[in-house]
């Protein structure tokens, strides 16, 4: 993986990004396990210096180079300033990262990244790390995780769309936006529209109209209309729903990422994938599929309408 070497082989992978609590580490664990079942050799690289409890098998850990607690203690920085310093320190020590990654040639890489949003929308350190990986012939796609509970709040969903768009433009990688924790979305409340409205980011004027019914947002209608116009003008943001415990959901996300970074799998992996998908549901996949989530919403809405009619 010498820099500038055209003869070196390509390496494929994902940089898993997103705000704190969006499920990045859980995603890396689930995707490592899923890909391992279909015969793909996966290496997980932890780039989060604050990540202490890692459920996955970590091959390369940035904590060997620098940790957030050490930075905060020695430099008297807060968590946000400390994370930025850690990423700048990683950027200044590319040789360490190159040496560590060289031991896993031929593997598929999952990069578990920090959860500070500013690192993907404003700061350049991680962006420069990704650019350096590209110079080492890494073909990466950014997997941007967003907690699905934001769909239940139109105001927050517009904010998420703006953040996702800003991240896509700043990081400058092929991008797959993912709505995570779909198996928990029912706990957050009722969706104003069908699930595909949020995943496909359809006509957002309906969302603005829905916000206008809220007294708090009524005064900000013009602002929301302009934000929505920016999102729709770029026409870049859409989402893939994800339930890490559902293998069909994992397959859909994996194939979306494979398409984004140009990875093409061989016949053996294809056969393994078909065998996995046709196998009986295992103990670790006993959750409803993403489609079932939407069906439950439709059923609950129909039931609510029936009850209102009966009351009349």
């Amino acid at each position: 993986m010498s820099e500038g070497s055209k003869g070196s082989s390509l390496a494929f992978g994902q940089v898993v990004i997103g705000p704190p609590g969006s499920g990045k580490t859980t995603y890396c664990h689930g995707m490592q396990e899923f890909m391992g079942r279909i015969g793909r050799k996966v290496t997980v690289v932890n780039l989060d210096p604050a990540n202490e409890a890692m459920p996955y098998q970590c091959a390369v850990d940035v904590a060997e180079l620098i940790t957030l607690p050490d930075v905060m203690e020695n430099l008297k920085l807060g968590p946000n300033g400390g994370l930025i310093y850690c990423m700048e320190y990683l950027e200044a020590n590319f040789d360490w990262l190159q040496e560590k990654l060289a031991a896993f040639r031929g593997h598929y890489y999952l990069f578990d990244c920090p959860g500070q949003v500013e690192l993907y929308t404003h700061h350049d350190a991680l962006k420069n790390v990704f650019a350096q990986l590209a110079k080492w012939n890494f073909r990466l796609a950014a997997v941007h995780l967003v907690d699905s509970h934001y769909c239940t709040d139109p105001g927050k969903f517009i904010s998420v769309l703006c953040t996702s768009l800003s991240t896509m433009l700043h990081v400058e990688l092929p991008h797959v936006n993912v709505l995570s924790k779909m198996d928990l979305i029912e706990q957050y409340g009722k969706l104003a529209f069908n699930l595909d409205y949020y995943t496909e980011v359809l006509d957002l004027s309906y969302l603005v109209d829905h916000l206008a019914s809220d007294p708090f947002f009524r005064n900000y209608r013009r602002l929301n209309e302009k934000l929505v116009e920016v999102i729709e003008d770029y026409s870049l943001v859409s989402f893939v729903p994800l339930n890490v415990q559902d293998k069909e959901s994992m397959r859909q996300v994996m194939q979306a990422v494979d398409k984004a970074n140009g990875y093409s799998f061989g016949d053996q992996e294809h056969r393994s994938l078909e065998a996995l998908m046709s196998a009986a549901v295992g103990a670790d996949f006993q959750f409803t599929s993403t489609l079932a989530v939407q069906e439950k919403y439709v059923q609950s809405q129909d039931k609510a309408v029936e009850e209102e009619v009966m009351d009349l």
Side-chain angles (χ1 to χ4, degrees):
M1 286 191 292
S2 59
E3 184 174 350
S5 175
K6 296 182 179 180
S8 58
S9 60
L10 293 177
F12 292 89
Q14 310 174 19
V15 292
V16 185
I17 63 179
S22 57
K24 296 183 295 297
T25 297
T26 301
Y27 171 87
C28 289
H29 184 209
M31 190 58 73
Q32 180 187 48
E33 183 179 280
F34 184 81
M35 288 182 172
R37 292 189 178 189
I38 61 174
R40 193 179 299 191
K41 295 187 294 184
V42 180
T43 293
V44 182
V45 180
N46 175 45
L47 294 184
D48 185 357
N51 199 351
E52 297 178 349
M54 293 174 287
Y56 51 72
Q57 296 179 1
C58 182
V60 179
D61 190 355
V62 73
E64 298 177 14
L65 178 69
I66 191 170
T67 66
L68 180 60
D70 288 343
V71 170
M72 293 174 62
E73 180 180 354
N74 294 326
L75 299 181
K76 308 304 179 185
L77 294 173
N80 290 338
L83 271 174
I84 290 176
Y85 180 89
C86 289
M87 293 302 99
E88 291 176 343
Y89 191 81
L90 175 63
E91 180 186 3
N93 288 273
F94 279 141
D95 53 343
W96 174 87
L97 184 61
Q98 184 177 23
E99 181 182 350
K100 290 292 183 179
L101 296 177
F104 301 96
R105 286 191 178 92
H107 287 213
Y108 187 95
Y109 297 84
L110 297 173
F111 293 89
D112 188 1
C113 299
Q116 188 177 356
V117 176
E118 292 83 357
L119 291 172
Y120 314 114
T121 59
H122 299 86
H123 202 261
D124 286 337
L126 261 183
K127 174 184 175 181
N128 293 338
V129 171
F130 300 154
Q132 184 62 48
L133 289 169
K135 292 179 181 179
W136 295 337
N137 281 332
F138 277 78
R139 297 297 177 263
L140 301 172
V143 178
H144 183 216
L145 298 182
V146 175
D147 197 317
S148 61
H149 86 267
Y150 290 116
C151 294
T152 61
D153 187 319
K156 291 180 179 178
F157 187 65
I158 290 179
S159 176
V160 161
L161 292 175
C162 292
T163 302
S164 298
L165 178 60
S166 178
T167 300
M168 295 175 76
L169 297 175
H170 184 74
V171 171
E172 298 180 347
L173 284 176
H175 216 87
V176 177
N177 292 304
V178 175
L179 284 176
S180 63
K181 305 179 184 179
M182 287 303 301
D183 51 311
L184 303 177
I185 192 171
E186 290 177 299
Q187 300 178 12
Y188 300 128
K190 185 178 180 181
L191 295 179
F193 305 98
N194 284 338
L195 186 61
D196 58 354
Y197 178 87
Y198 300 92
T199 57
E200 300 301 324
V201 188
L202 302 175
D203 190 349
L204 295 177
S205 61
Y206 293 106
L207 204 61
V208 175
D209 292 338
H210 187 75
L211 274 173
S213 63
D214 188 319
F216 177 79
F217 289 104
R218 189 175 299 141
N219 297 329
Y220 301 98
R221 182 186 180 98
R222 186 64 176 160
L223 172 62
N224 287 323
E225 287 176 346
K226 289 301 181 182
L227 290 174
V228 162
E229 285 179 14
V230 171
I231 296 165
E232 292 184 330
D233 286 346
Y234 278 95
S235 189
L236 290 175
V237 184
S238 62
F239 295 93
V240 180
L242 171 66
N243 171 6
V244 173
Q245 302 296 335
D246 178 59
K247 59 184 177 181
E248 174 60 26
S249 179
M250 292 291 285
R251 182 187 67 83
Q252 291 175 358
V253 172
M254 183 189 74
Q255 290 182 337
V257 177
D258 285 349
K259 183 178 180 180
N261 65 14
Y263 181 90
S264 60
F265 49 80
D267 291 339
Q268 180 59 47
E269 181 174 314
H270 183 67
R271 289 193 296 269
S272 299
L273 179 60
E274 288 184 338
L276 175 62
M277 298 309 299
S278 63
V281 177
D284 53 339
F285 288 117
Q286 294 178 347
F287 286 84
T288 56
S289 67
T290 301
L291 289 177
V293 174
Q294 182 171 346
E295 290 174 1
K296 285 184 179 181
Y297 268 103
V298 174
Q299 292 171 1
S300 64
Q301 291 173 6
D302 292 343
K303 184 177 180 181
V305 171
E306 291 177 1
E307 290 176 352
E308 290 179 2
V309 172
M310 292 297 292
D311 290 340
L312 293 175

